[in-house]
Amino acid sequence: MLPIADSFEHVHRGCEIRYGRGRIAGLGDWLDDRDLGDALVVCGSNTGANDALMGPVREGLGDRLAGVFDGTAPDKHVETAYDLLDARAEVGASVLVAVGGGASLDIARQATLLAADGRDLGELRADAETGPDALGDLAAGTDPDLSVVAVPTTFAGADVSAGGSLEVFSAAESPTGQPVTVSGSGAWPVADVADPALFETTPTSVLAGSAMNGFDKGIETPYARDASPVSDAAAVHGLRLLSDALPRVAGDRPGGEAATDRAVVGALLVQLDRKISVIHAFGHGFARRYDVQQGAIHAVVAPHALASLFDRVDASRRALAAGLGVRTEGRDDDAVAEDVVEAVAEVRDALDVPSRLRDLPETDEVDLPEIAEFVAADPPMERAPADLDATAEEVLGVLRAAW
């Protein structure tokens, strides 16, 4: 069992990571020290009703708490971000404290860019009707007036990030028949409060649903074409922690506080210089067709996508083996690759997540060829290993295997 520090701080791209049990208790003082003003908590309705979670958040903010906006949802509609901005104006908050999973964190971050961008909902939709390119990169080159503090409670790995897109038109509403989204790249949080005690208030089913999404960030980084020794180091050590801890925290193996601590640190590490690539492209391809949880797609696809990669390129199999506890000494590359795929499947199978596409009620086998086209053209595929030319036909083969 790998030991970790009880608490630590680390600044990454201007975001102050504050890890440790009970760290939420000092959030109000942290805001005071930086003259950041009052805070509006941003969360979903289930999170807002979770007293075991919200109690410590409220107490930690103290008199800096301006109110709670509990209207976020997994579908991440742009209207929600505008509703959030209205709520923020009503209470006069200058900080958004995003609590929960990826949806709340993404909506809060992108709302700050919408505020700086200046277009109202009608203007944004009018631009979207002329084509996705007209939406542009939200508030490009500006410095948002609103600050965001991330308080993650799942393992999706969405906290130390500027990412997250919001849906302007659904596929049914869109002139092209495909969803139209908007996002900007300048929405880094000013702080990330990673408190393992808060993760323990999240239902295990929710943790399991998020686990593969975060886990796969560590898997994808070493084989990305722009990987470096720095990104490899964070990803491989993150995988060491996650591969042992996730089945204990979100799965069927005995865990405890020490396992949660390791899982939270592992989820932080795989984000620090992450390089999302092939597996995330599969998730995005399904999102263009269905309203389906990304973690579920990642869970099903990851072993099959890796096996396909290893058939054609090296894909940093020995670096992944180091992170997953796979023995490499005296073994040939094919044997290492086979065991890496098996190790990923073992983590997946310890969680209460699907293992076949056919088990997802949203999916239909007849749609697989079109989804394969989406996946092959998805931007993260540009980070695939340099010697890989992933055609839609090859992607379809992976989907058929995963079906």
Side-chain angles (χ1 to χ4, degrees):
M1 185 178 295
L2 294 170
I4 58 171
D6 291 338
S7 65
F8 61 82
E9 294 85 35
H10 175 73
V11 177
H12 178 71
R13 298 189 183 182
C15 173
E16 184 176 337
I17 298 170
R18 297 174 60 79
Y19 165 82
R21 286 184 173 269
R23 269 303 175 94
I24 194 65
L27 181 53
D29 291 339
W30 188 89
L31 295 176
D32 282 341
D33 290 344
R34 287 152 183 79
D35 297 324
L36 284 176
D38 292 341
L40 177 66
V41 172
V42 182
C43 60
S45 58
N46 288 337
T47 296
N50 184 347
D51 291 337
L53 167 59
M54 293 300 289
V57 173
R58 291 176 185 273
E59 292 171 12
L61 284 168
D63 60 10
R64 287 298 189 187
L65 176 63
V68 176
F69 175 85
D70 64 355
T72 68
D75 49 19
K76 296 191 290 188
H77 288 299
V78 72
E79 296 96 319
T80 307
Y82 280 107
D83 290 342
L84 168 57
L85 291 175
D86 289 342
R88 171 258 171 179
E90 184 175 341
V91 300
S94 59
V95 180
L96 303 178
V97 175
V99 180
S104 295
L105 275 57
D106 288 349
I107 288 170
R109 282 190 298 247
Q110 296 302 319
T112 69
L113 297 182
L114 286 171
D117 182 83
R119 284 176 288 182
D120 63 23
L121 181 58
E123 291 168 332
L124 197 73
R125 283 180 164 164
D127 286 342
E129 287 177 349
T130 67
D133 291 342
L135 289 169
D137 186 15
L138 281 178
T142 65
D143 188 12
D145 293 331
L146 273 172
S147 297
V148 175
V149 173
V151 182
T153 64
T154 76
F155 297 118
D159 37 316
V160 189
S161 168
S165 58
L166 307 181
E167 187 175 273
V168 180
F169 289 126
S170 67
E173 299 168 321
S174 170
T176 65
Q178 298 300 323
V180 177
T181 62
V182 66
S183 65
S185 57
W188 280 93
V190 295
D192 179 24
V193 183
D195 187 332
L198 300 184
F199 284 74
E200 291 169 346
T201 71
T202 302
T204 302
S205 60
V206 176
L207 292 177
S210 70
M212 288 300 293
N213 199 351
F215 187 54
D216 287 343
K217 290 178 172 66
I219 293 171
E220 293 194 289
T221 294
Y223 67 65
R225 68 178 62 194
D226 58 341
S228 72
V230 174
S231 62
D232 282 357
V236 168
H237 189 43
L239 287 174
R240 287 192 187 105
L241 293 167
L242 290 174
S243 59
D244 171 71
L246 286 178
R248 300 178 187 279
V249 175
D252 58 9
R253 299 176 192 170
E257 289 187 358
T260 306
D261 295 348
R262 295 198 309 282
V264 173
V265 175
L268 284 170
L269 286 171
V270 297
Q271 296 181 71
L272 290 186
D273 199 8
R274 68 184 187 183
K275 317 285 186 184
I276 65 170
S277 180
V278 174
I279 298 172
H280 273 73
F282 277 90
H284 296 163
F286 277 84
R288 291 182 63 178
R289 173 64 65 181
Y290 310 117
D291 182 13
V292 62
Q293 187 187 45
Q294 292 290 290
I297 298 299
H298 287 209
V300 173
V301 168
H304 300 283
L306 273 176
S308 177
L309 280 172
F310 292 151
D311 280 345
R312 288 174 286 161
V313 295
D314 177 76
S316 296
R317 62 191 67 188
R318 290 183 180 265
L320 290 172
L324 296 166
V326 170
R327 185 175 62 84
T328 59
E329 186 177 356
R331 306 184 70 209
D332 65 37
D333 286 347
D334 288 343
V336 170
E338 186 175 318
D339 282 358
V340 166
V341 172
E342 184 177 345
V344 171
E346 284 180 358
V347 172
R348 188 269 313 276
D349 292 344
L351 308 171
D352 185 16
V353 293
S355 59
R356 301 183 305 178
L357 289 175
R358 70 179 65 188
D359 294 333
L360 297 169
E362 301 90 347
T363 58
D364 189 328
E365 189 174 11
V366 73
D367 292 333
L368 295 184
E370 186 170 8
I371 291 170
E373 296 279 354
F374 295 155
V375 173
D378 197 60
M381 274 294 189
E382 296 173 3
R383 268 193 164 135
D387 297 331
L388 181 74
D389 182 18
T391 65
E393 182 179 1
E394 290 166 336
V395 171
L396 182 58
V398 175
L399 296 178
R400 296 285 189 205
W403 183 258

